[in-house]
Amino acid sequence: MTRLEESGVITGYTITTDQAKLGQGLQAVTELRFTGDTDIHDIVEFASTLPEVDEVLTLTGDVDALVRLHVDNVDDLQKVVNRLRRKGVGVLQTKTLIVIASWQRGTSVP
């Protein structure tokens, strides 16, 4: 394992957490669409400053980015989405989906 780390094959480790036990019980994904001249780096930089944001994926196609986040409740979700809309550079449209269940490779099926 050490040799793989030193050679750069292993670049990091991932842990999984029970978000409900951390007090963040609602997971959602927000689709973002931007104006044509928006530098995607700007929205990634802004979204990464929000503590509720777990991940930002920039994409090709209709949707420019997906933001995965955890919040305590629907009211908090609305606040985060509003911040993304108002303060995100060039955000034209959002669409938010609430996650009802999830599974990740390497974990058992619920």
Side-chain angles (χ1 to χ4, degrees):
M1 191 96 101
T2 302
R3 192 172 68 177
L4 293 173
E5 291 170 335
E6 290 172 355
S7 68
V9 173
I10 296 176
T11 59
Y13 295 91
T14 302
I15 63 166
T16 57
T17 58
D18 184 334
Q19 294 296 320
K21 289 181 181 176
L22 291 173
Q24 293 184 317
L26 186 67
Q27 187 179 136
V29 178
T30 298
E31 298 177 356
L32 300 174
R33 289 177 175 79
F34 304 101
T35 58
D37 62 345
T38 302
D39 184 342
I40 298 296
H41 180 265
D42 292 340
I43 193 64
V44 172
E45 188 173 29
F46 166 69
S48 69
T49 67
L50 301 176
E52 299 88 354
V53 172
D54 291 330
E55 182 176 22
V56 179
L57 303 168
T58 55
L59 310 167
T60 61
D62 289 340
V63 176
D64 295 307
L66 289 176
V67 177
R68 189 172 59 86
L69 44 92
H70 280 95
V71 293
D72 291 333
N73 53 52
V74 174
D75 289 336
D76 288 342
L77 177 59
Q78 181 179 355
K79 290 173 188 171
V80 173
V81 171
N82 282 338
R83 279 188 277 164
L84 286 168
R85 285 180 173 171
R86 291 186 199 138
K87 299 190 184 198
V89 178
V91 175
L92 285 175
Q93 182 180 7
T94 63
K95 178 180 178 182
T96 301
L97 307 164
I98 295 175
V99 176
I100 57 172
S102 66
W103 170 83
Q104 291 180 332
R105 188 157 309 282
T107 63
S108 61
V109 177

